[in-house]
């Protein structure tokens, strides 16, 4: 068992964590970064990214995250491809234990553990991930211009995704498990008024099909009832809009979370309820969940941590 002491520990990677590491390194804080089980975050599961500034021709998600990582390392960030599994924020220095049992004692911590999109659990989702299956219409909708797509979900997020896609795709199926939409009345009205959105009520997705790329979905209407029927829809894009789960469970004993598990920050800062602990990226962002927003929040967190450390010295 080894113990490492650091002024700043960054838990998580992705746009938020790597940007925080870059800014903290340039401020001579010599941050220690634990990348977690998915170095680079959700973007490493995305194929081409076209909406991040500075890449006019687009860029692969893994490549962009590698660029972020290399830039942080260039200025001195110490990055470990390991996971923090337990924390004690009851006193400073904060004590964090990794997946190998080693201990990190940190004067400050930035949490950038992200959030994981919820999937239906179909084997086909993994098969076509990045090849037709996506959890972000804003990120990937452009690739389905003029094509048929489907959105799964019945809440405000699903309706927003369907409306966004309706301006890009030829046709949008909204697959709703129940017989009503859970979205606000305004969102319901907008969806119903869109000519190229077809709502499939009382429907579940049984599977997806296609050769190399997604070509369609198997649908069951009125599942497990006498009225059960099976049919297929021809789609090239399948978007999940059934929510995200923030990766914050190990912090819940100490950090204030909202009802969904997202970290609460103070005002327009990255400060949490624990002095010296900051949050950045999707783990503290239930609304936007965009790479460019996460990167900006990583910058904020590093600057907040730098100021905190300066005032403490």
């Amino acid at each position: 068992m080894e113990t490492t002491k650091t002024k700043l520990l960054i838990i998580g990677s992705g746009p938020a964590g790597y940007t925080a590491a870059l800014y903290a390194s340039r401020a001579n804080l010599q941050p220690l970064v634990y990348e977690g089980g998915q170095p680079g975050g959700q973007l490493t599961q995305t194929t081409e990214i076209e909406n991040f500034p500075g890449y006019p021709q687009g860029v692969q998600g893994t490549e962009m995250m590698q660029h972020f990582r290399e830039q942080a390392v260039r200025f001195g960030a110490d990055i470990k491809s390991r996971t923090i599994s337990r924390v004690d924020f009851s006193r400073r220095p904060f004590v964090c234990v990794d997946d190998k049992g080693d201990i990190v004692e940190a004067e400050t911590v930035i949490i950038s553990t992200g959030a994981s999109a919820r999937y239906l659990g179909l084997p086909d989702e993994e098969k076509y991930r990045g090849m037709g299956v996506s959890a972000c219409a804003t990120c990937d909708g452009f690739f389905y211009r003029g094509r048929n797509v489907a959105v799964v979900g019945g809440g405000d997020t699903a309706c927003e995704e369907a409306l966004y896609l309706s301006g890009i795709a030829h046709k949008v199926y909204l697959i709703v498990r129940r017989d009503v939409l859970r979205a606000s009345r305004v969102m319901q009205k907008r969806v119903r008024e869109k000519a190229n959105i077809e709502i499939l009520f009382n429907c579940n997705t049984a599977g997806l099909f296609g050769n190399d790329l997604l070509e369609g979905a198997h649908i069951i209407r009125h599942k497990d009832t006498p009225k059960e029927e099976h049919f297929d829809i021809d789609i090239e894009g399948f978007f999940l809009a059934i929510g995200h789960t923030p990766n914050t469970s190990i912090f819940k004993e100490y950090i204030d979370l909202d009802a969904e598990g997202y970290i609460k920050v103070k005002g327009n800062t990255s400060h949490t309820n624990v002095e010296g602990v900051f949050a950045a990226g999707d783990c503290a962002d239930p609304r936007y969940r965009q790479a460019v927003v996460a990167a900006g929040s990583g910058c904020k967190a590093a600057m907040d941590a730098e100021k905190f450390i300066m005032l403490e010295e």
Side-chain angles (χ1 to χ4, degrees):
M1 181 186 298
E2 296 182 359
T3 298
T4 303
K5 298 179 185 293
T6 183
K7 285 185 178 180
L8 173 60
L9 170 65
I10 300 173
I11 305 175
S13 48
Y18 288 147
T19 301
L22 167 61
Y23 272 77
S25 297
R26 294 185 76 249
N28 201 32
L29 297 182
Q30 300 175 311
L32 173 60
V33 183
Y34 269 71
E35 290 182 302
Q38 188 178 13
Q42 291 186 78
L43 287 185
T44 58
Q45 296 182 330
T46 302
T47 50
E48 191 169 7
I49 298 169
E50 294 190 325
N51 59 355
F52 197 94
Y55 293 95
Q57 304 304 317
V59 62
Q60 297 293 306
T62 51
E63 181 183 2
M64 188 173 82
M65 286 300 91
Q66 185 62 29
H67 291 167
F68 274 46
R69 190 182 195 277
E70 290 172 358
Q71 195 170 6
V73 169
R74 175 191 167 197
F75 289 100
D78 181 7
I79 301 180
K80 296 183 181 295
S81 297
R82 289 161 71 174
T83 301
I84 294 294
S85 56
R86 190 167 74 254
V87 302
D88 182 355
F89 291 160
S90 64
R91 65 188 186 278
R92 294 180 59 218
F94 304 119
V95 177
C96 304
V97 182
D98 70 17
D99 51 359
K100 293 188 178 181
D102 291 334
I103 296 171
V104 179
E105 293 184 357
E107 293 299 318
T108 57
V109 172
I110 293 175
I111 301 171
S112 57
T113 47
S116 302
R118 295 175 191 154
Y119 285 79
L120 297 174
L122 302 172
D124 298 331
E125 287 174 312
E126 189 62 37
K127 177 181 178 181
Y128 296 106
R129 186 174 297 187
M131 308 297 287
V133 172
S134 171
C136 181
T138 307
C139 308
D140 300 325
F142 178 82
F143 301 112
Y144 302 94
R145 185 173 296 277
R147 303 180 184 183
N148 292 347
V149 300
V151 176
V152 179
D156 279 326
T157 299
C159 288
E160 288 172 7
E161 300 271 87
L163 286 166
Y164 174 79
L165 290 166
S166 71
I168 298 172
H170 173 68
K171 181 168 185 174
V172 181
Y173 293 99
L174 184 58
I175 304 172
V176 184
R177 181 172 53 88
R178 301 169 59 186
D179 58 355
V180 294
L181 292 171
R182 293 181 291 104
S184 62
R185 290 185 179 181
V186 171
M187 294 303 297
Q188 291 187 43
K189 183 174 183 292
R190 290 175 181 170
V191 166
R192 294 178 189 276
E193 290 176 349
K194 275 289 182 178
N196 65 336
I197 296 179
E198 180 179 346
I199 306 174
L200 302 177
F201 286 115
N202 298 302
C203 286
N204 289 270
T205 306
L208 305 172
F209 62 89
N211 292 321
D212 295 328
L213 301 175
L214 178 66
E215 297 176 15
H218 302 301
I219 305 297
I220 303 176
R221 180 179 277 132
H222 298 299
K223 184 179 179 181
D224 298 327
T225 73
K227 297 191 294 182
E228 180 173 303
E229 62 173 308
H230 296 242
F231 60 95
D232 293 342
I233 55 174
D234 295 327
I235 55 170
E236 296 180 60
F238 185 76
F239 293 86
L240 282 303
I242 53 177
H244 285 71
T245 301
N247 304 317
T248 58
S249 60
I250 68 169
F251 310 113
K252 63 184 179 181
E253 182 179 349
Y254 307 98
I255 300 298
D256 287 345
L257 310 176
D258 69 11
E260 299 296 321
Y262 289 91
I263 295 174
K264 294 180 180 180
V265 293
K266 297 181 179 180
N268 192 31
T269 75
S270 65
H271 290 262
T272 70
N273 61 296
V274 177
E275 287 194 6
V277 178
F278 310 88
D282 286 8
C283 66
D285 178 14
R287 181 168 184 173
Y288 297 105
R289 295 191 295 270
Q290 295 297 303
V292 68
V293 177
S297 71
C299 165
K300 288 168 58 177
M303 294 178 71
D304 286 342
E306 178 190 6
K307 185 175 181 179
F308 181 86
I309 291 171
M310 180 179 67
L311 293 175
E312 288 279 298
E313 291 178 342

